[in-house]
Amino acid sequence: MRFDVTILGSSSATPIYNRNPTSQALNINERFYLIDCGEGTQQQMLRFDVKPGKIDHIFISHLHGDHYLGLIGLLSSMHLNGRKKPMHIFGPPDLKKIIDINLECSWTKLNYELIFHPLKNTETEVIFENKDIIVQTIILNHRIPCTGFLFSQKKNLLKLNATQLEHYQVGRNQFLKLKQGEDFVNENGERVPNSVLTIKPEDPKSYAYCSDTLAGEAYLPQIEDVDLLYHEATFMHDLLARAQETYHTTALQAGEIAFKTGVKKLLIGHFSARYKTLDGLLEEARSVFKETDLAIEGKVFTI
Amino acid sequence: MRFDVTILGSSSATPIYNRNPTSQALNINERFYLIDCGEGTQQQMLRFDVKPGKIDHIFISHLHGDHYLGLIGLLSSMHLNGRKKPMHIFGPPDLKKIIDINLECSWTKLNYELIFHPLKNTETEVIFENKDIIVQTIILNHRIPCTGFLFSQKKNLLKLNATQLEHYQVGRNQFLKLKQGEDFVNENGERVPNSVLTIKPEDPKSYAYCSDTLAGEAYLPQIEDVDLLYHEATFMHDLLARAQETYHTTALQAGEIAFKTGVKKLLIGHFSARYKTLDGLLEEARSVFKETDLAIEGKVFTI
């Protein structure tokens, strides 16, 4: 099952040096999920060929402009381009007010249904589930209420071994039971163990998105062992005081968090406008956690 | 006196083919005036080296997203980059509500003063004046209240002729009177005509911005003889019915308006996303008004 993330923007606060504010597009089994939507996200989607029509769920972490100011434009363009199917938006309760006033002032009635899911931000909650994934919030610690998101693939069903099915003459009506782990008993009452007829599927994968936050302890249990952790790393560690004052994380701290939680891979982003090049941030995170990459716009990371 | 306009965006409705939604930066005597501010305007300003710090006045024509959705991001970035001097915003009354709710929801208190000037949209009004220019609204005819803007340079003072001043031994204390057109009378009571001591200044220039509107008659007297007319030309004339239905203008109509009003030059923009190339629109407008140009992003037009 495809599970990858395309970086659409990774600048913090102000866009600069052609770095756009935060947005990411997750592709999970050919369904698309947008995480955050900074100004210019729809332009970035055009640039990196992420089709708005394939997105049915948008997750907004918090109401600092660099994480949501592209949302109204994207929703309007979907409307103007003839979207009919519903759109689900998950975000802070106040986001609904912002959407409503923009639509009202432009005399716009969307020609598709907009279903708004307000996030609690007091405790972790499961906010979405379908056949492929479960999405939970992660309570972060920022200057204003801010949630991260944990996307966990569901356990995959067993795969059928075609050669063995033919050999043991297993009928189609048994396939689902086999996929669910049952043994096969033939007409003569002979039992064939499930392991002979099936192949172990891939382990389910997980992706955690943590932006913006003071480096903390509270949310670490939730992101333990995830396959890919995106964590903000706004500053280098020489600016630790500034990071703490503004409720952000340094690249070194992001590396430490990845190390402590045993994640497989770390992706850092949300870079301060002061960094024209990003090598320093990468080096710093890698000094404690080797498997680190930079969230560069247009890059696709397979989970 | 410098008087030019830099095109920051000229797409209608949805951004496409690297055309950004509408925004223009006017430079009048090294003061900057921003007209409309579609999503991504601050990124365009970075790209075309228009310094946000030099802008003290922003004019918003109407509340369709492609004309204002970049405003909150721009104001936020100015705040984050330490702006202290006041910012004047001219726009539809509801724009204030949109700005306020965005600031409120992000718990932002701007560290500069934001002075909001609501536009009437019932009749033309002078909304701004300084030593260089006067700005008047133009009442347009769109689906929602929409105003254009007429920027008129004030009559320039006479310029002093240095050689003649020396010849007639004119003291510095006479300079302002001469610039204002008075003759010079020396100690012996001899009169030297003003025309001997001064040089005629350039004629004052004017720029009219008309986007978005149904091609109409009502606003034509106001834009007569302007030096540069920016007029929207969303569609080609084969889509006249569509233009009328959506309260927009065709390229042919824009050309006709320029011809009728005797403007010196026409600039067309606000191109529909359906036009991948713009040659057809340009040709159509030029078929009735030769002095037409396309509002291409990054281009600077001297008025």
Side-chain angles (χ1 to χ4, degrees):
Chain A
M1 191 197 297
R2 193 171 162 181
F3 192 1
D4 60 41
V5 56
T6 301
I7 307 302
L8 297 173
S10 64
S11 181
S12 78
T14 59
I16 203 148
Y17 310 126
N18 295 321
R19 291 202 302 260
N20 239 65
T22 300
S23 185
Q24 303 186 354
L26 266 186
N27 180 339
I28 305 176
N29 202 16
E30 299 308 323
R31 286 169 192 254
F32 284 75
Y33 305 85
L34 194 71
I35 311 176
D36 279 339
C37 188
E39 181 178 354
T41 293
Q42 58 174 329
Q43 285 99 320
Q44 295 289 86
M45 287 168 70
L46 277 171
R47 201 168 151 209
F48 300 121
D49 203 29
V50 172
K51 304 265 184 287
K54 288 192 170 183
I55 298 172
D56 296 330
H57 302 88
I58 301 177
F59 299 84
I60 302 293
S61 64
H62 67 299
L63 293 182
H64 279 152
D66 53 326
H67 293 258
Y68 80 92
L69 283 176
L71 183 63
I72 307 296
L74 179 62
L75 297 178
S76 301
S77 294
M78 287 171 166
H79 164 74
L80 292 166
N81 291 327
R83 182 184 181 102
K84 295 286 178 215
K85 54 179 183 163
M87 169 63 80
H88 293 264
I89 297 181
F90 303 79
D94 278 350
L95 180 57
K96 180 74 166 55
K97 286 202 271 182
I98 294 175
I99 296 170
D100 286 348
I101 203 163
N102 277 282
L103 295 179
E104 181 195 314
C105 291
S106 62
W107 304 10
T108 303
K109 195 188 164 329
L110 294 178
N111 48 24
Y112 59 90
E113 190 185 2
L114 201 151
I115 301 155
F116 187 77
H117 306 266
L119 302 179
K120 267 197 207 132
N121 199 258
T122 46
E123 55 184 349
T124 293
E125 52 180 338
V126 171
I127 52 173
F128 177 72
E129 185 170 359
N130 65 9
K131 71 178 178 54
D132 298 324
I133 55 158
I134 291 179
V135 185
Q136 280 174 280
T137 54
I138 302 169
I139 308 304
L140 300 172
N141 184 11
H142 196 42
R143 301 195 301 279
I144 62 173
C146 183
T147 54
F149 302 102
L150 175 63
F151 292 79
S152 310
Q153 263 184 332
K154 288 186 173 171
K155 200 165 182 292
N156 295 311
L157 292 175
L158 294 161
K159 291 181 181 176
L160 300 176
N161 184 329
T163 319
Q164 297 289 53
L165 292 181
E166 204 179 323
H167 179 79
Y168 288 100
Q169 298 186 306
V170 183
R172 290 197 157 272
N173 59 346
Q174 299 299 308
F175 286 3
L176 184 60
K177 286 181 190 166
L178 286 175
K179 284 180 181 179
Q180 290 168 336
E182 289 185 26
D183 292 341
F184 170 61
V185 181
N186 70 12
E187 287 168 356
N188 307 325
E190 290 159 352
R191 175 172 299 265
V192 184
N194 182 282
S195 61
V196 172
L197 300 166
T198 63
I199 302 160
K200 211 174 158 267
E202 286 170 26
D203 285 334
K205 298 287 196 324
S206 54
Y207 176 58
Y209 174 88
C210 297
S211 185
D212 303 1
T213 190
L214 191 68
E217 293 292 329
Y219 59 95
L220 301 195
Q222 229 187 320
I223 60 177
E224 260 178 23
D225 303 325
V226 297
D227 293 277
L228 179 63
L229 166 65
Y230 170 83
H231 201 290
E232 71 126 299
T234 308
F235 300 105
M236 287 185 67
H237 206 65
D238 60 332
L239 294 179
L240 175 64
R242 178 85 185 131
Q244 286 174 332
E245 183 193 348
T246 56
Y247 285 70
H248 283 300
T249 300
T250 69
L252 190 79
Q253 290 176 317
E256 285 169 351
I257 287 168
F259 181 78
K260 271 194 227 172
T261 50
V263 305
K264 295 205 180 50
K265 194 176 168 127
L266 170 67
L267 197 56
I268 56 172
H270 200 261
F271 310 116
S272 163
R274 76 195 65 215
Y275 303 113
K276 195 158 187 174
T277 61
L278 304 171
D279 307 343
L281 290 141
L282 182 60
E283 257 174 54
E284 196 175 275
R286 279 190 177 165
S287 73
V288 277
F289 190 78
K290 201 164 172 301
E291 285 302 314
T292 304
D293 248 322
L294 294 168
I296 301 284
E297 292 176 18
K299 269 208 172 186
V300 181
F301 296 91
T302 299
I303 298 159
Chain B
M1 191 197 295
R2 192 171 164 181
F3 192 0
D4 60 40
V5 55
T6 302
I7 306 302
L8 298 173
S10 63
S11 180
S12 78
T14 59
I16 203 150
Y17 311 127
N18 294 322
R19 292 202 301 262
N20 238 65
T22 299
S23 185
Q24 303 186 354
L26 266 186
N27 179 340
I28 305 176
N29 202 15
E30 300 308 323
R31 285 168 193 254
F32 285 75
Y33 305 84
L34 194 72
I35 312 175
D36 279 340
C37 188
E39 181 178 355
T41 293
Q42 58 173 329
Q43 284 99 320
Q44 295 290 85
M45 289 168 69
L46 277 171
R47 203 169 148 207
F48 300 122
D49 203 28
V50 172
K51 304 265 185 287
K54 288 192 170 183
I55 297 171
D56 297 330
H57 303 87
I58 301 176
F59 300 83
I60 302 293
S61 64
H62 67 300
L63 293 183
H64 279 151
D66 53 328
H67 293 258
Y68 80 91
L69 283 177
L71 182 63
I72 308 296
L74 179 62
L75 297 178
S76 301
S77 293
M78 286 171 166
H79 164 73
L80 292 167
N81 291 328
R83 184 185 179 102
K84 296 286 179 215
K85 55 179 181 164
M87 169 63 80
H88 293 265
I89 297 181
F90 303 79
D94 278 350
L95 180 56
K96 180 73 166 55
K97 287 202 268 181
I98 294 175
I99 296 171
D100 286 348
I101 203 165
N102 276 282
L103 295 179
E104 181 195 315
C105 291
S106 61
W107 304 11
T108 302
K109 192 183 166 330
L110 294 178
N111 47 27
Y112 59 90
E113 192 185 2
L114 200 150
I115 301 155
F116 186 77
H117 306 265
L119 302 179
K120 266 195 208 132
N121 200 257
T122 46
E123 53 184 351
T124 293
E125 53 181 336
V126 171
I127 52 172
F128 177 71
E129 184 171 0
N130 65 9
K131 71 177 178 54
D132 300 323
I133 55 159
I134 292 181
V135 185
Q136 280 175 280
T137 54
I138 302 169
I139 309 303
L140 301 172
N141 185 11
H142 196 43
R143 303 195 301 279
I144 63 173
C146 182
T147 54
F149 303 102
L150 176 62
F151 292 79
S152 310
Q153 262 184 333
K154 288 187 173 171
K155 200 163 180 292
N156 296 312
L157 292 175
L158 295 160
K159 290 181 181 175
L160 301 176
N161 183 329
T163 318
Q164 297 289 55
L165 292 181
E166 204 179 324
H167 179 78
Y168 289 98
Q169 297 187 304
V170 183
R172 292 199 155 268
N173 58 345
Q174 300 298 310
F175 286 4
L176 184 60
K177 287 181 188 168
L178 287 175
K179 285 181 181 176
Q180 291 167 337
E182 291 186 26
D183 292 342
F184 171 59
V185 183
N186 70 12
E187 287 168 355
N188 308 325
E190 291 159 352
R191 177 173 298 264
V192 185
N194 182 282
S195 60
V196 174
L197 298 167
T198 62
I199 303 160
K200 213 176 156 261
E202 288 168 26
D203 286 335
K205 300 286 196 323
S206 54
Y207 176 59
Y209 173 89
C210 298
S211 184
D212 302 358
T213 190
L214 192 68
E217 292 292 330
Y219 58 96
L220 302 196
Q222 229 186 321
I223 61 176
E224 260 178 23
D225 303 325
V226 297
D227 293 277
L228 180 61
L229 166 64
Y230 171 84
H231 202 291
E232 72 125 303
T234 308
F235 300 104
M236 287 185 66
H237 206 65
D238 60 331
L239 293 179
L240 175 64
R242 178 84 185 131
Q244 287 174 332
E245 182 193 346
T246 56
Y247 285 69
H248 283 299
T249 300
T250 70
L252 190 80
Q253 290 176 317
E256 285 168 352
I257 287 168
F259 181 79
K260 272 194 229 175
T261 51
V263 305
K264 296 206 180 49
K265 193 176 168 126
L266 170 67
L267 196 56
I268 55 171
H270 201 262
F271 310 116
S272 162
R274 76 196 65 213
Y275 303 113
K276 195 159 186 174
T277 61
L278 304 170
D279 306 342
L281 290 141
L282 181 61
E283 257 175 55
E284 196 174 273
R286 280 192 177 164
S287 73
V288 279
F289 191 78
K290 201 164 171 300
E291 285 302 315
T292 305
D293 248 322
L294 293 168
I296 301 283
E297 292 176 16
K299 270 208 172 184
V300 181
F301 297 90
T302 299
I303 298 159

